[in-house]
Amino acid sequence: MATVFVVGAGPAGLFAAQKIALAGHETVVFNRDVKPGGLAEYGIYPVKDKMKFGLRKQFAKALALPNLHYFGHVPVGSHSPINIESLRELCPAAMVFAVGAQGNKKLGLPGENAAGVYSAKDFVYFYNLLPPFASQDFSTGKRVAVIGMGNVMVDIARWLLLDCPDRKTEEVIVIARRGPLEAKFDEKEFAHIEMYLDRKAFQEELERVKERLAAVGQDVGKVPEETFPCLVKNPDQPAVDARLKFRFLSSPVEIIPGPDGRIARLKVADNILVARDGGTSAKTTDKTTDLDVDTLIFAIGDVHDQLVGLPCGPSGYVTNQGTEPRCSYEVFDPMTGKVMPGIFVAGWARKASEGLVGIARHDGETGAAHVLQYLAGLQAPPHSASPDEIARFLERKGVQAVSKSDLSLLGTVEEREAKARGLTYFKYSDDADMLAAIEQEKSKASEPVAQ
Ligand SMILES: Cc1cc2nc3c(=O)[nH]c(=O)nc-3n(C[C@H](O)[C@H](O)[C@H](O)COP(=O)(O)OP(=O)(O)OC[C@H]3O[C@@H](n4cnc5c(N)ncnc54)[C@H](O)[C@@H]3O)c2cc1C
């Protein structure tokens, strides 16, 4: 039997690890966050309790496997005491990187570094209480622009309009490069915010863009039935609270900060649509408009984190270009022109921002199947470090890793806190608090029992 390292404990990493462990191999998971789950824990909308509880149960089942070992609070990369080279010193037979897509897509706009400008992933990490984002400044103001027209935009608008405790947001303006017929969100998700749609402003916006849509054969009259069915369901219903606006065929071109360094205006350029390869592409024109906004959130997808140390190209971690199904899971080093033997990627680390949890699970399991095939082809697996040796190695490197038994202590404390606060679920939003709670629980367990 071999030892396989899995880096990342989101859905892709955990389901990959489960499959490899069930095949009988020692499987060691290293995870940046104290807790497992990745975006399933820290991205999925906070009130989707049923889904989150279900996923936590499945993750706990995987972690309960005796030959699956967990080291949380261990980021791997050039920014950490543990990088790919240090993992290699421990001689795993194979490594799967399921680290998601942790980089931020930058458009290189003037003013992009102004205060009040955020990437969607960081912002959802903040409201889902992932350390350290939970304690950083993600303040939002009265007028928030969200760039992008997918489900992540809907989550953010929902948070700002409905669930954000400070309820400061007076208006959310969705800015979309393309037209209303190319909205990417699901009807079920949009239903959570449709009552905020400013219908009068929406009709005016359709009027504003209809000729540009018609130029590529898009009929604005089809918008209600195709992408905004709420307009068909309740055609005459006025918005309960008209605070959600759309600006179509627009691209951000400049962020203009105010004297306090926070975004004060966003310059957007009008786009036209150009027919291309049976579809359309958006082309920016010279016509610009300034919008008064004090917060800007980019919900345009994520990119891979270069600091992890895997070879990175324009579309993310570089994989084998071959045509066999396993190739796109094998990491390829353009410097040597060769596949990196035994190094795989899965989930959003393979294809950034691709699909829901079910897809990430499937991708993790498919990646694991390729790893198992690779292991079967090895003449003799290397003599890898044991979990105890790995724990000592991390300690020597100054890393305070969190084990499976630590996770269970943390779970006990959080359950107790939830009960005490009358909540269905409680989670700490700071690594130091989690580590302290674990230590406290450990010392309680070692106290002599009073006679
Ligand atoms: C805002 C938002 C809302 C979503 N809502 C839904 C929804 O409602 N339903 C649904 O089905 N799907 C939803 N998704 C999609 C779903 O979350 C993803 O499909 C899935 O989580 C991707 O899994 P993954 O394991 O590839 O990556 P991730 O979930 O991102 O997991 C990556 C893991 O790698 C770890 N990691 C990162 N960097 C390092 C490092 N350097 N070293 C060690 N570990 C590292 C992280 O700690 C994390 O555990 C949503 C996504 C977003 C962004």
Side-chain angles (χ1 to χ4, degrees):
M1 285 298 126
T3 298
V4 176
F5 289 178
V6 175
V7 184
L14 286 170
F15 287 118
Q18 176 171 258
K19 189 168 173 109
I20 295 165
L22 284 173
H25 300 287
E26 287 297 308
T27 310
V28 184
V29 176
F30 299 90
N31 192 37
R32 175 196 66 189
D33 307 331
V34 167
K35 287 190 175 188
L39 281 167
E41 177 63 47
Y42 293 109
I44 290 181
Y45 200 70
V47 302
K48 288 187 178 172
D49 286 339
K50 212 167 148 203
M51 179 187 267
K52 284 203 177 190
F53 279 116
L55 286 166
R56 283 183 197 129
K57 250 191 176 165
Q58 293 184 46
F59 298 154
K61 191 173 158 211
L63 288 166
L65 291 170
N67 59 336
L68 196 160
H69 311 275
Y70 181 80
F71 294 98
H73 197 230
V74 184
V76 172
S78 57
H79 54 313
S80 158
I82 307 297
N83 56 25
I84 297 181
E85 280 319 303
S86 29
L87 291 182
R88 278 190 208 277
E89 287 173 39
L90 301 164
C91 302
M95 292 199 251
V96 184
F97 285 83
V99 289
Q102 308 297 331
N104 291 336
K105 220 182 228 178
K106 290 268 178 187
L107 297 182
L109 305 180
E112 212 166 40
N113 295 325
V117 178
Y118 313 123
S119 99
K121 181 175 40 42
D122 295 355
F123 189 70
V124 303
Y125 277 164
F126 159 74
Y127 68 63
N128 270 295
L129 303 180
L130 175 68
F133 301 90
S135 28
Q136 291 171 351
D137 176 18
F138 282 95
S139 53
T140 47
K142 291 183 176 170
R143 287 171 55 81
V144 182
V146 184
I147 313 281
M149 210 171 25
N151 285 331
V152 173
M153 172 283 286
V154 175
D155 274 8
I156 287 170
R158 183 177 173 187
W159 175 255
L160 293 168
L161 294 168
L162 201 62
D163 292 313
C164 175
D166 70 16
R167 295 179 179 274
K168 232 194 269 165
T169 308
E170 290 173 4
E171 192 164 277
V172 172
I173 309 149
V174 177
I175 295 172
R177 208 153 55 101
R178 291 155 180 275
L181 287 161
E182 295 178 74
K184 295 278 185 283
F185 47 76
D186 296 336
E187 179 184 349
K188 207 171 105 225
E189 297 298 332
F190 193 72
H192 295 291
I193 55 169
E194 64 188 30
M195 63 289 218
Y196 294 103
L197 182 65
D198 185 332
R199 293 187 176 214
K200 185 166 167 282
F202 192 76
Q203 289 307 332
E204 286 165 7
E205 181 60 10
L206 293 186
E207 200 55 35
R208 193 182 73 85
V209 295
K210 78 173 185 198
E211 275 172 26
R212 278 179 277 160
L213 297 180
V216 288
Q218 294 186 358
D219 177 2
V220 85
K222 292 198 169 147
V223 169
E225 79 194 60
E226 289 195 5
T227 42
F228 285 81
C230 62
L231 301 175
V232 183
K233 269 190 300 180
N234 313 304
D236 304 318
Q237 182 198 332
V240 176
D241 186 6
R243 291 192 284 147
L244 175 63
K245 291 190 174 154
F246 278 78
R247 188 177 173 95
F248 298 111
L249 297 182
S250 298
S251 289
V253 288
E254 186 180 353
I255 291 149
I256 303 149
D260 58 354
R262 189 178 179 97
I263 175 172
R265 274 176 302 136
L266 173 68
K267 194 181 284 298
V268 294
D270 271 9
N271 293 337
I272 52 164
L273 290 176
V274 186
R276 182 179 291 169
D277 305 331
T280 62
S281 70
K283 197 168 165 225
T284 302
T285 68
D286 291 338
K287 184 168 179 237
T288 63
T289 308
D290 280 9
L291 306 174
D292 286 332
V293 294
D294 51 35
T295 311
L296 173 62
I297 302 175
F298 285 99
I300 52 173
D302 304 302
V303 293
H304 293 144
D305 176 7
Q306 301 202 3
L307 296 180
V308 169
L310 293 172
C312 235
S315 44
Y317 299 138
V318 185
T319 53
N320 189 356
Q321 292 303 301
T323 50
E324 285 180 49
R326 67 159 205 286
C327 292
S328 68
Y329 292 82
E330 296 173 333
V331 177
F332 182 87
D333 184 355
M335 300 287 277
T336 60
K338 289 185 183 146
V339 165
M340 291 171 79
I343 312 255
F344 297 82
V345 279
W348 281 24
R350 193 173 74 87
K351 282 193 178 169
S353 305
E354 177 91 351
L356 298 174
V357 165
I359 303 221
R361 174 185 188 149
H362 180 257
D363 209 63
E365 290 176 344
T366 307
H370 295 310
V371 172
L372 295 176
Q373 225 175 40
Y374 169 82
L375 295 176
L378 288 182
Q379 289 204 325
H383 179 74
S384 314
S386 69
D388 284 345
E389 286 166 337
I390 296 171
R392 286 198 292 277
F393 176 84
L394 294 174
E395 218 175 295
R396 278 201 305 280
K397 295 272 185 185
V399 177
Q400 193 177 351
V402 167
S403 67
K404 285 202 287 192
S405 59
D406 293 338
L407 278 185
S408 121
L409 292 176
L410 181 60
T412 310
V413 182
E414 290 189 332
E415 240 172 68
R416 219 168 39 223
E417 279 295 323
K419 261 195 197 139
R421 295 168 192 235
L423 302 169
T424 46
Y425 191 77
F426 169 82
K427 65 184 181 195
Y428 286 104
S429 56
D430 191 286
D431 281 350
D433 290 343
M434 284 190 252
L435 298 176
I438 293 167
E439 287 311 313
Q440 219 173 353
E441 206 58 16
K442 270 187 199 162
S443 56
K444 253 199 218 164
S446 61
E447 272 169 19
V449 182
Q451 294 294 310

